[in-house]
Amino acid sequence: MSSGDGGEVASAAAGPPTPLEWKFSQVFGERTAGEEVQEVDIISAIEFDKTGDHLATGDRGGRVVLFERTDMKEHGGSRRDLERMDYPVSRHPEFRYKTEFQSHEPEFDYLKSLEIEEKINKIRWCQMANGALFLLSTNDKTIKFWKVQEKKIKKVADINVDPSKAAGTGGIASSSVSSSPKPYLANGGCSDRPYSSLSNDLSFPPGGIPSLRLPVVTSSETSLVARCRRVYAHAHDYHINSISNNSDGETFISADDLRINLWNLEISNQSFNIVDVKPANMEDLTEVITSAEFHPTHCNMLAYSSSKGSIRLIDLRQSALCDSHSKLFEEQEAPGSRSFFTEIIASISDVKFARDGRYLLSRDYMTLKLWDINMDSGPVATFQVHEYLRPKLCDLYENDSIFDKFECCLSGDGLRVATGSYSNLFRVFGCAAGSTEATTLEASKNPMRRQVQTPSRPSRSLSSSITRVVRRGGESPGADANGNSFDFTTKLLHLAWHPSENSIACAAANSLYMYYA
């Protein structure tokens, strides 16, 4: 095979970047010691928007919670503008709670006698317009398109009645703001007989009321309102595992186990089936679709992964039904290495494009793999996430943990990748040429607590001169890389990397942790 110049992520002219030192930034929904986590509060989806100024999380209770960035607002302007003005930007990204809304409710499919969970499987941000935020959220069956906008609250003000004395007036008087210190009766009304709407202790001024001031509707305060603009339903027989926006800003895809559908954001009652892997006889079914994502810049290209460990790149220009792929990315298994678990752990749980669209990152149960879309002979780099679990695969199969679906993410500059593991740990790997960065962090206020001081150097595999396998020591079967006992109940499945900065948001049960470097 030729040398790996085209297969490396970044040029190594100045050597590999130094490993990042991660620091705790914020936590939302932190649990107190011994507090039990409610099932509905467990976070099931995390997504930054394209600017990185907004973050959305979805949970098993069908809620979507939005956070907005606050460390920019003090100086005004975006971080890039401030850097251009040579303004020292020393602060790390800080977010605050913005709003939340109930996206999905539990449903029941009476035809199939099937309960449909409200759990949010995926969230994807759409293009902002007129100051409003737009996003797609999906549960197992139904996708919804949401608009979140600031609405002005209308209030009635400036009426000639003191609201403290007119408590029983109902609509107008109760929401009015008095501009006069004395309690006058509106329109010079007589105060000596009781009224049903006004209390009778209001005095009529000696000189009468000089002018009648009519109530005015004012709107000074604002509140955030989430409105469901469209519902895309009844298009999937199986559970939806992915949604992905197209770079054209008009369409998106949704994928279930056997089909991928293409939608127009404006049309909710019609979609086009572009991939269908369902065999004529279901007994012939050998693999299912596990994840799908559009290319970040080419609106005609998308990739989808399968339970057999392969990724297919398809081109929508080739045919209406894209059952034949343009490229197939899969790694041949080493002879003699097959076991009962081989196929299960080969299943890809997540696939993500790098920001420039040149590289693809995939996560299977044991590894992260980085692929160059111009080279389908094998991955550019393979990172071992938790190799010390290999002797425990039997236990993981028994308690169903082997079927956990971990997500993965890439940094905006494409120099690093990250994914989660058990015991609320997550891993960050450097994927630039020559990089040996392989950091283990814990989703807690002290992320470097589990850090090993001397990571072993990556060993190059014999099968390919440019495939790098990053390994770490401490492979005792009942413990993690640092000899700590392993907890399969606490798993870090969901995480997202800020699009332009070294900042990671990750979910540990119902808590959202944020880190920066």
Side-chain angles (χ1 to χ4, degrees), residues 127-326:
Q127 202 69 39
M128 272 182 75
N130 302 327
L133 302 172
F134 292 90
L135 45 93
L136 289 163
S137 63
T138 184
N139 66 351
D140 285 339
K141 295 288 183 184
T142 307
I143 306 153
K144 294 186 180 181
F145 183 48
W146 291 91
K147 178 183 184 180
V148 181
Q149 193 175 26
E150 282 193 345
K151 290 271 188 191
K152 290 184 174 175
I153 303 171
K154 291 188 169 70
K155 283 193 172 179
V156 179
D158 288 333
I159 186 171
N160 301 42
V161 179
D162 186 345
S164 61
K165 293 289 182 77
T169 58
I172 294 175
S174 63
S175 64
S176 63
V177 178
S178 170
S179 58
S180 167
K182 291 182 184 176
Y184 299 154
L185 263 183
N187 221 9
C190 186
S191 61
D192 57 356
R193 77 173 191 270
Y195 283 86
S196 58
S197 62
L198 284 173
S199 54
N200 58 359
D201 56 350
L202 296 173
S203 58
F204 187 71
I209 294 178
S211 64
L212 172 67
R213 232 185 343 264
L214 290 173
V216 180
V217 176
T218 62
S219 50
S220 53
E221 293 177 34
T222 58
S223 77
L224 280 159
V225 179
R227 279 182 52 229
C228 182
R229 296 291 303 275
R230 278 176 202 90
V231 177
Y232 312 91
H234 313 301
H236 288 277
D237 289 332
Y238 304 93
H239 290 178
I240 297 170
N241 55 47
S242 306
I243 50 174
S244 177
N245 314 61
N246 198 346
S247 58
D248 64 9
E250 294 179 5
T251 55
F252 71 94
I253 52 166
S254 57
D256 66 21
D257 293 343
L258 299 179
R259 294 190 179 98
I260 299 176
N261 292 334
L262 178 69
W263 302 83
N264 188 304
L265 280 166
E266 301 294 320
I267 302 164
S268 59
N269 59 358
Q270 182 184 32
S271 67
F272 295 99
N273 178 225
I274 54 172
V275 175
D276 189 347
V277 300
K278 185 178 181 180
N281 182 1
M282 283 294 274
E283 288 177 8
D284 300 331
L285 183 70
T286 57
E287 64 181 331
V288 294
I289 298 165
T290 56
S291 179
E293 188 171 76
F294 260 120
H295 190 281
T297 54
H298 298 336
C299 62
N300 54 289
M301 282 172 67
L302 63 102
Y304 70 91
S305 60
S306 83
S307 56
K308 274 195 164 175
S310 59
I311 302 167
R312 289 172 175 84
L313 200 63
I314 59 174
D315 191 335
L316 297 174
R317 297 172 298 186
Q318 285 184 335
S319 67
L321 189 62
C322 304
D323 285 346
S324 58
H325 50 265
S326 308

Side-chain angles (χ1 to χ4, degrees), residues 50-71:
K50 271 207 176 95
T51 63
D53 293 342
H54 293 94
L55 175 68
T57 66
D59 64 25
R60 292 191 186 177
R63 290 169 304 223
V64 171
V65 183
L66 304 185
F67 300 89
E68 68 177 345
R69 189 161 178 178
T70 56
D71 57 304

Side-chain angles (χ1 to χ4, degrees), residues 328-350:
L328 175 69
F329 304 95
E330 59 183 354
E331 193 171 25
Q332 301 304 317
E333 62 183 70
S337 64
R338 193 164 182 78
S339 74
F340 173 74
F341 304 111
T342 302
E343 274 194 28
I344 301 173
I345 63 172
S347 178
I348 293 173
S349 54
D350 193 23

